[in-house]
Structures are given as structure tokens and as C-alpha cells.
Amino acid sequence: METLPLEPLIELRGVNKHYGALHVLKDVDLTVGRGEVVVVIGPSGSGKSTLCRTINRLETVDSGTLTLAGRPLPAEGRELARLRAEVGMVFQSFNLFAHKTVLANVALAPVKVRGRKKDEAEHRARELLHRVGLLEHAQKYPAQLSGGQQQRVAIARALAMEPQALLFDEPTSALDPEMISEVLEVMQQLAREGMTMVVVTHEMGFARSAANRVVFMADGQIVEDRTPEEFFTAPRSERAKDFLSKILKH
Amino acid sequence: MDVLTQNFALYGEGFWGTVRLTVYASLLALAVGVVMAGFRVAPVAALRGVGTAWVTVLRNTPLTLLFFAMLLGLPRFGVALPFELFAVLALGCYTSSFICEAVRSGINTVPAGQGEAARSLGMTFGQTLGTVVLPQAFRTVIAPIGSTLIALAKNSAIAGSFSVVELLSTYKTLSENGYNVIWSFVWIALGYLILTLAISGLFHVLERRWGVAR
């Protein structure tokens, strides 16, 4: 599969970022092809969440370039907002709009950003809620749902913008174990349908079964970037071997 | 009681003047205060600077001084307005700095993640603020905004010293006509009480209706 020449959708070149004295991203290069599922793993503090957040500029970078479908991402303003709409994001803490119903959460951005008619956007929102199995909860508020349900709404909300790619920043880390699978199932389905995805996660099962590539990060650098099969069976670097031995022991 | 019944028209005129000042200055203060709160959290440094300067200058200037500055200062630049309009401007701008800070504290109660989610969906700063942040921020600041507007209603008494017809200034006429000072003031105080209780009643209803359910 990786021999296919994929059209590069997301490209990061020489990206550096500091938090004060801490160098969180060190000369990171990453290319994600259209339709690819890239799972980013690594110990905490390795910069993987920061990497995910820089892709749609929720984090600014100190140097380096980011391009989306060949177009460079501007630093701020209306043009950035337009490009951000092309990259959906799913957060660890769901971040649903607390004052709006589930349906309104999903339909809001298409109306505000894409200029869709309200009834049209709500019709589409219902389809998406049906797809993530939550149509019967459309009129509830986020606080009335479980964590797993909220995260599925968040995925539907991101999909409503018909993005070219989806970023997942530890989407299951705040969930109870029995809710993790319902979220992963939705993600597996998206991967099968050919959605371009960058997933920061600790779910090694998902990485093995859904990823085209595994990117292993440590200390702000990409240490390995390989197929899941190769990475999990024969990691090259000491850091990766050490990391895998710790998480796979249990 | 005679003071009230014999001077009902005078009291009425004064009360109505205070109501007008309060309503117009409140609307101005709310509008400007919300805009300034938006400026203070804007991604553009220049806007944040304007918001901070606005609050710093107006919140730290005595209101009487502000009246003097408006009434004596603005005409020098060729701005000649009716005294009542000057009073509305002075009261409204002064109070807007307090509204701004109340709204800003409300903005800070909205989890930052919701703003990030809105931005990640392609919403501009204005859309994020208007549709996601402010509607939730308002719910937490209903009570402090009510207090600020009650203070505004009482501060409007200063306008009486600047030839604006309002409730407190009626005492001058009454004392000139030889009425008992104490009773004159009792009825004036009652007038303010009616207005401030009406404001707190309104905000009580707003809070019951829109306040954050816990």
C-alpha cells in the first residue's frame, strides 16, 4: 500500500516550536498522503499532541512550513479560518458547545462557515448523527450524554464540514474503557471509507489494524515512521523498543 | 406627604429624567462594554491595547471629573451637544469599563477548548466569540451586570449638577420653595428605590431564565 504514490495532503517541513526553554518540536518533517491513516504514538511529553495541533495552527510554530493540499497555511486571519475548515479536529476533552443541543453542535459550523441553509444543515446533521448511532439524542445537551457519546457527536460535528482530513488528539484518553470501543469503531469505519486521518493515540490495537503508517515520536523528534507491521514487530530505535516493551508488557 | 402631592409634576419630571439617563446610558454601556471585552480577548494586539486603555482610563477616573472633561473639553473641539447627551456619554462610557470587565470575567469561565473547537471548524474570531463564547459568558455575568447598572442609575445623580433635569436636582427647587428638606429627600430616595428595584427585578428574571443551571 505504501508503494502507491499518494498525493500529499498535509506537509510539514522543518517545523520547530519552543515553549519557553523547552524545545517541543525539533525539525519535524511529516507528509500525510490523501486517504492515509497515520497514527502518532510516543511517551507523554514527546510532542505528539503539539504536532497534531500545529497541523491546523491551534499552536503557532517558530519556524518551518505547513502546507495543506499544496497551499501554505497562513498565520492568522480569515484565510487561515478557511483552510482550517478543511481539516477537522477531534479533541481529548470533546469540547462540544455546552449551550447548544447535539443537533445544533453538528449543524452550527456548516451554517456559519459554509453558508448552508439551516434546514439543509440540520438534515445533514441528522444523517451524520445516525451514522454515529446518536440520532435519538439529537435534542439533548452535551452534558446529558456519556463521554463516548459526546466524542461521537464531536466526530459528527467535524464531519459536517466535509473536511479533507481529520485530526484526532488522543480521542479516547478521557474515556472509560467500555466507551473506548464505540469511538474506535466509528474511527475504524472512517479509515475504511478512505478518510485521511492523523491520530494521536495510545490505542495500539487501533494502530495495528487501521493505520497505514505509525509515527513514533520522542523528545520532540520523529524517531520512526514505518508501517505498523514493521514497527510493532521489529522496531529499530532503542527508544521505540523501550516504549513498546513498557506498554505491551501488560 | 404634602411635598410629594404639591410637587408631583416636578418629581415626575425629575424621575423621568433619571429613567431616561439610566436607560440610554445603560444601552450605551452594554454595547460599548461588550465590544471592549471582545477587544480585550482579540488575537490582534492593537485591539487588546485599545480595550485595556479604555478600561484603565475610564474605570480609574472619578465620574465627576469625566463629566467636567466632557462638558468643558468636547465643546473646545467644536462638539456642542445637549447637556443630557453629554451626560449619557459620560455615564455610558464610564460604566462600559465595568461592564467590559464583568463580561471579560464571564468569557474566562467558558472552557478554552470550546473556542479551539470553534476555530478548528473554520469559524473566525468574531463568529467564535459571538456564537460560542459570549452566549455562555453572559449567563455567568447577569448578576454583576445588574449591580453595575444599579450603580449607574445612582451615579446619574451627578448629571443634576450639570444642568440636566433628573431626580436629585429637584431638591434645589423644593428647598428654595421652603419645603422640609428631610421629606423632600425621602421622596427622592423612594424614586431611586423604585428604579433600582425595577432593575434588580429585571435581572432576577433574566437570571432565572438564562442563568447557568447548576
Side-chain angles (χ1 to χ4, degrees):
Chain A
M1 180 176 271
E2 15 331 293
T3 52
L4 275 171
L6 290 164
E7 176 202 347
L9 183 60
I10 300 166
E11 277 189 286
L12 281 74
R13 287 283 161 269
V15 169
N16 278 285
K17 180 172 179 70
H18 296 80
Y19 284 129
L22 190 66
H23 199 168
V24 279
L25 294 178
K26 297 173 187 165
D27 270 322
V28 170
D29 293 321
L30 180 69
T31 306
V32 180
R34 196 179 286 278
E36 231 182 347
V37 176
V38 175
V39 166
V40 184
I41 63 174
S44 57
S46 59
K48 53 194 194 304
S49 273
T50 309
L51 175 70
C52 187
R53 290 163 57 86
T54 53
I55 294 174
N56 66 356
R57 290 248 181 192
L58 283 180
E59 299 283 351
T60 55
V61 297
D62 302 331
S63 64
T65 57
L66 289 92
T67 53
L68 180 68
R71 284 179 299 177
L73 247 74
E76 255 308 331
R78 216 162 271 274
E79 186 65 18
L80 173 64
R82 258 231 312 273
L83 281 181
R84 264 187 188 142
E86 301 297 326
V87 183
M89 181 141 187
V90 176
F91 300 84
Q92 181 177 353
S93 49
F94 329 132
N95 295 345
L96 294 178
F97 307 134
H99 64 308
K100 293 201 176 284
T101 62
V102 163
L103 185 70
N105 261 277
V106 181
L108 181 67
V111 172
K112 292 283 170 190
V113 179
R114 297 260 195 246
R116 298 272 153 74
K117 288 203 190 71
K118 196 172 178 224
D119 52 346
E120 196 184 303
E122 287 188 348
H123 180 73
R124 174 81 183 127
R126 283 179 201 283
E127 285 175 4
L128 287 167
L129 288 172
H130 177 69
R131 187 166 154 190
V132 297
L134 291 169
L135 186 55
E136 67 273 27
H137 298 290
Q139 295 307 327
K140 288 188 182 170
Y141 285 87
Q144 294 169 285
L145 302 184
S146 73
Q149 290 171 329
Q150 288 191 50
Q151 195 61 298
R152 286 186 283 154
V153 174
I155 294 172
R157 178 176 68 175
L159 288 173
M161 292 300 288
E162 288 161 11
Q164 298 187 39
L166 276 181
L167 310 174
F168 292 82
D169 185 8
E170 304 206 22
T172 56
S173 299
L175 297 175
D176 291 341
E178 71 266 32
M179 291 172 187
I180 290 176
S181 63
E182 68 186 53
V183 171
L184 289 180
E185 236 161 74
V186 172
M187 290 168 61
Q188 293 272 14
Q189 194 193 334
L190 285 170
R192 280 197 298 273
E193 289 167 8
M195 173 60 79
T196 309
M197 293 160 67
V198 176
V199 185
V200 175
T201 188
H202 296 293
E203 297 298 326
M204 296 305 145
F206 178 81
R208 274 177 184 276
S209 62
N212 301 107
R213 277 159 55 202
V214 170
V215 168
F216 175 73
M217 284 189 80
D219 302 321
Q221 284 173 310
I222 292 181
V223 180
E224 299 203 27
D225 181 351
R226 307 163 66 198
T227 66
E229 182 60 28
E230 287 174 336
F231 178 76
F232 286 112
T233 52
R236 285 193 195 124
S237 63
E238 283 307 312
R239 291 300 310 259
K241 281 176 196 161
D242 184 49
F243 178 74
L244 287 175
S245 73
K246 276 177 190 152
I247 56 161
L248 298 178
K249 203 154 49 184
H250 303 289
Chain B
M1 197 69 183
D2 288 351
V3 195
L4 182 66
T5 49
Q6 287 166 13
N7 299 284
F8 203 76
L10 182 69
Y11 270 121
E13 204 187 341
F15 181 70
W16 179 232
T18 294
V19 169
R20 273 204 315 272
L21 279 178
T22 305
V23 170
Y24 292 143
S26 293
L27 294 177
L28 180 68
L30 287 170
V32 176
V34 170
V35 170
M36 286 299 157
F39 278 13
R40 291 208 71 175
V41 297
V44 184
L47 291 183
R48 285 199 302 274
V50 170
T52 310
W54 183 266
V55 169
T56 308
V57 170
L58 289 165
R59 195 170 57 164
N60 298 315
T61 308
L63 183 54
T64 314
L65 198 67
L66 206 60
F67 268 96
F68 271 119
M70 288 246 174
L71 276 158
L72 302 177
L74 287 182
R76 296 207 171 182
F77 298 101
V79 185
L81 298 169
F83 277 5
E84 190 170 321
L85 196 51
F86 272 127
V88 167
L89 280 177
L91 270 173
C93 291
Y94 174 77
T95 312
S96 74
S97 64
F98 295 90
I99 300 278
C100 168
E101 290 302 272
V103 171
R104 193 167 67 96
S105 78
I107 288 173
N108 290 336
T109 65
V110 181
Q114 289 187 39
E116 286 187 348
R119 283 188 286 147
S120 80
L121 290 164
M123 290 194 212
T124 60
F125 171 73
Q127 288 173 328
T128 302
L129 197 65
T131 57
V132 175
V133 179
L134 282 181
Q136 297 185 70
F138 278 129
R139 297 173 177 208
T140 62
V141 297
I142 292 170
I145 285 182
S147 302
T148 308
L149 294 186
I150 285 171
L152 183 153
K154 294 185 292 182
N155 286 340
S156 70
I158 293 179
S161 313
F162 295 89
S163 314
V164 177
V165 177
E166 53 80 48
L167 190 53
L168 183 66
S169 57
T170 55
Y171 91 90
K172 285 181 227 158
T173 317
L174 292 172
S175 72
E176 274 165 24
N177 293 347
Y179 286 101
N180 181 312
V181 179
I182 294 188
W183 282 103
S184 305
F185 277 116
V186 166
W187 297 118
I188 286 172
L190 192 72
Y192 280 108
L193 206 58
I194 289 168
L195 186 58
T196 52
L197 286 179
I199 295 172
S200 56
L202 172 70
F203 276 81
H204 188 66
V205 171
L206 289 177
E207 207 175 344
R208 277 251 296 270
R209 179 121 193 231
W210 296 108
V212 180
R214 293 192 203 284

